[in-house]
Amino acid sequence: MFSNKGEAIRTVIDGTLEDDVCLSRRALLFGILAGGLQLAASGTIARASAINPSETQITLPDAIKWTTWTGAPPHIGEMATLYGGLDKPGPYLVLMKWYPGYMSAPHSYATDRLSLVMSGTWWVNSGADFDPDSTVPVPAGGFVRRVAGTPHYDGVKRGAKQPAVIALFGIAPVDLKLVDPGKPVWRKI
């Protein structure tokens, strides 16, 4: 590129080295693009093969099956099991949809639970005493880890414009235990 050391120093001082580098990058990118177009024109581009469902399973959003929570009044929440199950030994991945105006009673699980808020805002707190005013908001993209054996409660506050959808991952069986089994499992707030 340079015939001597002095030319390289002058080029750096004059600012032309940056221009030479930019031109070299552009030429390289143009060459790659031209080569790709040539391959496309000749029909020699490798095509992706069909997905092998024994190796990769895909569930598109429209195919996710939501079911109402067992034993819950209407419009409190829904769940979609994507992998495993809450009562089958092993890992699980479920989507939980909480509708505005309801929270769970304080409860715990036998194993840790990892939660990622996918949409909406989920309100959470820890402890055995139910106090919805002390819950903290976790917006979409937020992460919550529930530690095994520790009481907590959560839901979506009244007035929210949309339900919260939370992706839950853990190891089953979950073995949900209410802090006070004599009180309602679901609380209207």
Side-chain angles (χ1 to χ4, degrees), residues 21-82:
V21 170
C22 286
L23 286 174
S24 296
R25 286 184 187 156
R26 286 186 192 128
L28 177 64
L29 291 173
F30 179 74
I32 292 169
L33 176 62
L37 291 174
Q38 198 170 24
L39 284 175
S42 67
T44 57
I45 291 181
R47 305 260 183 239
S49 60
I51 289 186
N52 181 340
S54 68
E55 297 172 359
T56 302
Q57 294 93 40
I58 297 173
T59 305
L60 297 176
D62 291 347
I64 294 174
K65 292 180 178 32
W66 292 90
T67 58
T68 303
W69 291 341
T70 305
H75 291 295
I76 286 182
E78 297 176 86
M79 190 165 285
T81 301
L82 300 178

Side-chain angles (χ1 to χ4, degrees), residues 103-156:
M103 290 196 156
S104 62
H107 60 282
S108 65
Y109 307 116
T111 58
D112 283 6
R113 176 176 276 186
L114 308 177
S115 310
L116 180 64
V117 180
M118 306 298 290
S119 64
T121 300
W122 191 34
W123 294 79
V124 303
N125 203 346
S126 299
D129 297 323
F130 181 72
D131 181 7
D133 292 332
S134 69
T135 57
V136 296
V138 183
F143 172 78
V144 176
R145 175 181 171 222
R146 298 296 196 181
V147 176
T150 61
H152 61 273
Y153 51 97
D154 43 58
V156 177

